[in-house]
Amino acid sequence: MRPARVLVLDFGSQYNQLIVRAVRELGVYAELRPAGVSVEEIRAFGAQGVILSGGPASVYDAGSPRPDARVWEMGLPLLGICYGLQVMVHELGGRIEASSKREYGRAHLEKPAIPCALFTGLPEAKTAGQQVWMSHGDSVTLLPPGFEGVAATAATPHAVVQDARRRFYGLQFHPEVHHTENGAVFVRNFLRSVCGLACDWRPENQIAALCQRIQADVGRERVVLGFSGGVDSSVMAALLERALPQQVHCVFIDNGLLRFDEAREIQERFHSYCKLPLRVVDAGELFLSRLRGVLDPEAKRKAVGAAFIEAFEGELSQLGGAQWLAQGTIYPDVIESTSTHGKSQTIKSHHNVGGLPERMLMKVLEPLRELFKDEVRALGRALGVPEAVLERHPFPGPGLAVRVVGEVTSERLEVLRRADRIFLDEVERAGLRRELAQVFAVLLPVRSVGVMGDGRTYEQVLALRAVTTSDFMTADWYRFPHDFLARVSTRIVGEVRGVNRVVYDITSKPPGTIEWE
């Protein structure tokens, strides 16, 4: 039996992934599709409700996104968020105008003026007023026929609207961000009270269905898994062992861009939970040769991706006969690498999304491509993958190539590895790893003057980076105690030859990214 499903239409909001995640965390399967997806595709998906996301456009902009005009006649419950509310009002005969007072950030939502299903279960203390997160320059000034105003803020008379008969609801604020005090309650009420959904979908309960899909796709053909040792490829290995125990070979390309002693640790952990055969390819020299003289971060990523394909092709020729390449692609990779509404800016490329060279003549198997990272971890726990693997911090596909800012050389990699190991050791010793989402060192293309043993030095500068985040779309730098930073700096300068200065990165995301390159 197919689980409850909701479709999120993408109008360009930076929070789109958060909407999908919020729905799934409440127990309903959701996917993101382009704003103009056809009614036929919505029906084929099996949607039992539709959410119209926010976005940066104005409904009066030339070429601003619109849903299929027939979506209003489908009989499905609809929830419009920010721009999604505005396009609903506009298309159904209301009016949107530029606000005299724009709202960005925190706002106070007043007590609802009339009963509304979206407020179900909120105690009187909460319905009397609550904090919400706004981001809009236009506002509703005239409601369409059948709609009622439910709640307002000081600057927005129609912050919550409804046409209860048709089950159309609109929120001018963003319930999907944690700054909105009861955001999850509004989304849950739309799913349960409005759509009438059971909210019983869980990623860990999908193992049997995923195995059946893999078996149906692959048949009796052979599969090669590009194994990296990260969370996604580790869960992929466990899943493939369950689905195709006699048909899969795993290939680990040691690209020479891993952290200290990491290649050995990855192999040991793999054999602790997976019985599939694992071939290890030492390709460090190949990757270093392709990175020689490359300085641009995006060029580094592409060079590493091309070298991976080159190394993989050589290994495939020895294995012979594999028709499928399995990859640990997950849903954020798909969303970030595919523009669902229009032209989007590439922050960084994902070399495991977007296909293979035609000469490889292989089909791609990506059974995790519909899951978020936390969902992949839940699946891995159900498959018996060790917690030490599942709780591994994210590591970039190009490895240390994008943490050595500037040219990548074997000497600079070794300096970074030793410094990074000291930083990680001290984090573990202080019991801080679980508080952090990512922690690492970055070697800078900068030298500074120092004094060691009464002598002048002119050596490299190392940056430390540690962040906290719930979704990796935004992140904040971690406030280490000063004595901790002093201890790490003293150890690095004293134990790592070639570094005489250590700095700590206190930049949040945005404006920075988590990685430096």
Side-chain angles (χ1 to χ4, degrees), residues 361-399:
L361 299 175
M362 295 183 75
K363 293 169 279 189
V364 177
L365 184 65
E366 297 174 322
L368 304 180
R369 66 182 285 120
E370 295 174 355
L371 301 178
F372 287 97
K373 179 74 78 175
D374 56 328
E375 296 168 345
V376 172
R377 287 192 171 103
L379 190 70
R381 289 186 183 98
L383 288 164
V385 179
E387 203 66 22
V389 175
L390 296 177
E391 292 303 323
R392 184 176 184 263
H393 284 174
F395 189 63

Side-chain angles (χ1 to χ4, degrees), residues 24-44:
R24 291 191 187 184
E25 286 170 1
L26 290 165
V28 173
Y29 183 74
E31 286 187 15
L32 186 68
R33 296 290 173 84
V37 65
S38 71
V39 162
E40 289 76 17
E41 291 177 79
I42 296 174
R43 290 197 178 105

